[in-house]
Amino acid sequence: MQAKAKIRVTAFQMVPPPVQGLVRDLRVRWALEEAGIPYEESLIGQDDLSTPAHRRIQPFGQVPAIEMDGLELFESGSIVLEIGEKSEALLPKDAKGRARARTWVFAALNSVEQHFTALVGIDLFDANEEWAKLRRPAALEMVHTRLKDLSAWLGSREYLEDRFTAGDLMMTTVLRFLRHSNLVAEYPNLDAYLKRCEARPAFQRALAAQMKAFEA
Ligand SMILES: N[C@@H](CCC(=O)N[C@@H](CS)C(=O)NCC(=O)O)C(=O)O
């Protein structure tokens, strides 16, 4: 009998409370849960990030990373798309639908995330710095620009396209970065979208798994 291929997700053993539930391995866990693919976790500490063993699977010394069917991957977006190749739950079968879903993954990571994390960095880690006080208004305005555009696109849709895809998974994890504020709530359809995606059982299982590691 052939041994079942093991999937191993590398994540943090512990992070400070403000970022618990936000660490990017959440995306990978969620994608695996949506796809119904079981996985093991490899939990590491900050000290492990610079070891040769970790750098071999994550050149920048970050999490997440994954070992999957003999393939080692880093970058949460790439990992989610690779999992999507295995499951229609994340990437629709039809070529156009797949391309649209992939596009939203890139939009979340490339057009939205950087602006949200800039504000998060200021608010959570540098709020008392003089430069941060000067930078914050423009950073906030940029966040509103993206939220407004996203809200306009979403309109009365349930999801970014006509069904849940990897694009929604990624966008949800990016919107969650603003949880220290009430910014998303200022856009009721986005707020409802975020809650709709977070209510998915697969998301709940993924979040619980990340949080469980921290409890230990
Ligand atoms: N673009 C990377 C970003 C990964 C990333 O920023 N990981 C954070 C945790 S969410 C990390 O490992 N930070 C530790 C560090 O950079 O030293 C991805 O999406 O996987």
Side-chain angles (χ1 to χ4, degrees), residues 12 15 22-25 27-28 46 49 54-55 58 60-65 74-79 109 113 170 177:
F12 279 137
V15 294
L22 297 180
V23 191
R24 290 173 177 83
D25 59 276
R27 297 164 173 173
V28 177
Q46 292 285 334
L49 292 177
H54 184 64
R55 293 284 168 148
Q58 218 297 358
F60 303 106
Q62 297 184 310
V63 302
F74 58 99
E75 284 298 330
S76 59
S78 171
I79 298 170
L109 293 176
E113 180 175 279
M170 202 53 78
F177 286 150

Coordinates of all heavy atoms in Angstrom, one line a residue, residues 12 15 22-25 27-28 46 49 54-55 58 60-65 74-79 109 113 170 177, ligand 1:
F12 N 4.3 29.8 13.3 CA 4.9 30.2 14.5 C 4.3 29.5 15.8 O 3.1 29.3 15.8 CB 4.8 31.7 14.8 CG 5.7 32.6 14.0 CD1 5.3 33.7 13.4 CD2 7.1 32.2 14.0 CE1 6.2 34.5 12.7 CE2 8.0 33.0 13.3 CZ 7.6 34.2 12.6
V15 N 3.3 34.2 18.9 CA 3.5 35.6 18.5 C 2.8 36.5 19.5 O 1.9 36.0 20.2 CB 2.8 35.8 17.0 CG1 3.6 35.1 16.0 CG2 1.4 35.5 17.0
L22 N -3.7 36.6 13.0 CA -3.4 37.3 11.7 C -2.2 36.7 11.0 O -2.0 37.1 9.8 CB -3.1 38.8 12.0 CG -4.2 39.6 12.7 CD1 -3.7 41.1 12.9 CD2 -5.4 39.7 11.8
V23 N -1.5 35.9 11.6 CA -0.2 35.4 11.0 C -0.6 34.6 9.7 O -1.6 33.9 9.6 CB 0.5 34.4 12.0 CG1 1.9 34.1 11.4 CG2 0.7 35.0 13.3
R24 N 0.2 34.8 8.7 CA -0.1 34.4 7.3 C -0.3 32.9 7.1 O -0.7 32.5 6.1 CB 0.8 35.1 6.3 CG 0.6 36.6 6.2 CD 1.7 37.2 5.4 NE 1.6 38.6 5.2 CZ 2.0 39.6 6.0 NH1 2.5 39.2 7.2 NH2 1.8 40.8 5.7
D25 N 0.2 32.1 8.1 CA -0.1 30.7 7.9 C -1.6 30.4 7.9 O -2.1 29.3 7.5 CB 0.6 29.8 8.9 CG 0.2 30.2 10.3 OD1 0.8 31.1 10.9 OD2 -0.7 29.5 10.9
R27 N -3.8 31.7 6.1 CA -4.2 31.5 4.7 C -4.0 30.1 4.3 O -4.9 29.5 3.6 CB -3.4 32.5 3.8 CG -3.6 33.9 4.2 CD -2.5 34.8 3.5 NE -2.8 36.2 3.7 CZ -2.0 37.2 3.4 NH1 -0.8 36.9 2.9 NH2 -2.3 38.4 3.6
V28 N -2.9 29.5 4.6 CA -2.6 28.2 4.2 C -3.5 27.2 4.8 O -4.0 26.3 4.2 CB -1.1 27.9 4.5 CG1 -0.7 26.5 4.1 CG2 -0.2 28.9 3.7
Q46 N 11.0 32.4 16.8 CA 11.7 33.5 16.1 C 13.2 33.1 15.9 O 13.7 33.4 14.8 CB 11.7 34.7 16.9 CG 10.3 35.4 17.1 CD 9.9 36.1 15.8 OE1 10.7 36.5 15.0 NE2 8.6 36.1 15.6
L49 N 14.1 31.2 12.6 CA 13.9 31.8 11.3 C 15.2 32.0 10.5 O 15.2 31.9 9.3 CB 13.3 33.2 11.5 CG 11.8 33.2 12.0 CD1 11.3 34.7 12.1 CD2 10.9 32.5 11.0
H54 N 15.7 26.3 8.0 CA 14.5 27.1 7.7 C 14.7 27.9 6.4 O 13.8 28.0 5.6 CB 14.0 28.0 8.9 CG 12.8 28.7 8.6 ND1 11.6 28.1 8.4 CD2 12.5 30.0 8.4 CE1 10.6 28.9 8.1 NE2 11.2 30.1 8.1
R55 N 15.9 28.5 6.3 CA 16.2 29.3 5.1 C 16.1 28.5 3.8 O 15.8 29.0 2.7 CB 17.5 30.0 5.2 CG 17.6 31.0 6.3 CD 17.0 32.3 5.8 NE 16.8 33.2 7.0 CZ 16.8 34.5 6.9 NH1 17.0 35.1 5.7 NH2 16.6 35.3 7.9
Q58 N 12.4 28.7 3.4 CA 11.8 30.0 3.3 C 13.0 31.0 3.2 O 13.6 31.4 4.3 CB 10.9 30.3 4.5 CG 9.7 31.2 4.2 CD 10.0 32.6 3.7 OE1 11.1 33.0 3.6 NE2 8.9 33.3 3.4
F60 N 13.6 34.0 3.0 CA 13.5 35.3 3.7 C 13.4 35.1 5.2 O 13.2 36.1 5.9 CB 12.4 36.2 3.1 CG 12.6 36.4 1.6 CD1 11.7 35.8 0.7 CD2 13.6 37.2 1.2 CE1 11.9 35.9 -0.6 CE2 13.8 37.4 -0.2 CZ 12.9 36.7 -1.1
G61 N 13.4 33.9 5.7 CA 13.3 33.7 7.1 C 12.0 34.1 7.7 O 11.9 34.8 8.7
Q62 N 10.9 33.7 7.0 CA 9.5 34.0 7.5 C 8.7 32.8 7.5 O 9.1 31.7 7.1 CB 8.9 35.1 6.5 CG 9.7 36.4 6.5 CD 9.0 37.4 5.6 OE1 8.6 37.1 4.4 NE2 8.8 38.6 6.1
V63 N 7.4 32.9 8.0 CA 6.4 31.9 7.8 C 5.3 32.5 7.0 O 5.2 33.8 7.0 CB 5.9 31.4 9.2 CG1 7.0 30.9 10.1 CG2 5.0 32.5 9.9
P64 N 4.5 31.8 6.3 CA 4.5 30.3 6.3 C 5.4 29.7 5.2 O 5.9 30.4 4.3 CB 3.0 30.0 5.9 CG 2.7 31.1 4.9 CD 3.4 32.3 5.5
A65 N 5.5 28.4 5.4 CA 6.1 27.6 4.3 C 5.4 26.2 4.3 O 4.7 26.0 5.3 CB 7.6 27.3 4.6
F74 N 7.2 28.5 -0.4 CA 7.0 29.6 0.5 C 6.1 30.6 -0.2 O 5.7 30.4 -1.3 CB 8.3 30.2 1.0 CG 9.2 30.7 -0.2 CD1 9.2 32.1 -0.5 CD2 9.9 29.8 -0.9 CE1 10.0 32.5 -1.5 CE2 10.7 30.3 -2.0 CZ 10.8 31.6 -2.3
E75 N 5.8 31.8 0.4 CA 4.9 32.8 0.0 C 3.4 32.3 0.0 O 3.0 31.4 -0.7 CB 5.2 33.3 -1.5 CG 6.4 34.2 -1.5 CD 6.3 35.5 -0.8 OE1 5.1 36.0 -0.6 OE2 7.3 36.0 -0.3
S76 N 2.7 32.9 1.0 CA 1.3 32.4 1.2 C 0.5 32.4 -0.1 O -0.3 31.5 -0.3 CB 0.7 33.3 2.3 OG 0.7 34.6 1.9
G77 N 0.7 33.4 -0.9 CA -0.1 33.5 -2.1 C 0.1 32.3 -3.1 O -0.8 31.7 -3.6
S78 N 1.4 32.0 -3.2 CA 1.8 30.9 -4.1 C 1.3 29.6 -3.5 O 0.8 28.7 -4.3 CB 3.3 30.9 -4.2 OG 3.7 29.7 -4.9
I79 N 1.4 29.5 -2.2 CA 0.9 28.2 -1.6 C -0.6 28.1 -1.7 O -1.1 27.0 -2.1 CB 1.3 28.2 -0.1 CG1 2.8 28.3 0.1 CG2 0.7 27.0 0.6 CD1 3.3 28.5 1.6
L109 N -2.9 40.8 -2.5 CA -1.5 40.8 -2.0 C -0.7 42.0 -2.5 O 0.2 42.4 -1.8 CB -0.8 39.5 -2.5 CG -1.4 38.2 -1.8 CD1 -0.7 37.0 -2.4 CD2 -1.2 38.3 -0.3
E113 N -2.9 44.8 0.3 CA -2.2 44.4 1.6 C -1.1 45.5 2.0 O -1.1 45.8 3.2 CB -1.5 43.0 1.5 CG -0.8 42.6 2.7 CD -0.2 41.2 2.7 OE1 -1.0 40.3 2.9 OE2 1.0 41.1 2.4
M170 N -8.0 35.2 0.2 CA -6.9 36.1 0.4 C -7.4 37.5 0.9 O -6.8 38.1 1.8 CB -6.1 36.2 -0.9 CG -4.7 36.6 -0.7 SD -3.8 35.7 0.5 CE -3.4 34.2 -0.4
F177 N -6.5 42.4 8.7 CA -5.3 43.2 9.2 C -5.8 44.5 9.9 O -5.1 45.1 10.7 CB -4.3 43.5 8.1 CG -3.5 42.3 7.7 CD1 -3.0 42.2 6.4 CD2 -3.1 41.3 8.6 CE1 -2.2 41.2 6.0 CE2 -2.4 40.2 8.2 CZ -1.9 40.2 6.9
Ligands
LIG1 N1 4.9 37.7 1.5 C1 5.1 36.7 2.6 C2 5.1 37.5 3.9 C3 5.4 36.5 5.0 C4 5.4 37.3 6.3 O1 5.5 38.5 6.4 N2 5.4 36.5 7.4 C5 5.5 37.1 8.8 C6 4.4 36.5 9.6 S1 2.8 36.9 9.0 C7 6.8 36.7 9.4 O2 7.3 35.5 9.2 N3 7.5 37.6 10.0 C8 8.8 37.4 10.7 C9 9.9 38.1 10.0 O3 9.7 38.7 8.9 O4 10.9 38.1 10.6 C10 3.9 35.7 2.5 O5 2.8 36.1 2.1 O6 4.1 34.5 2.8

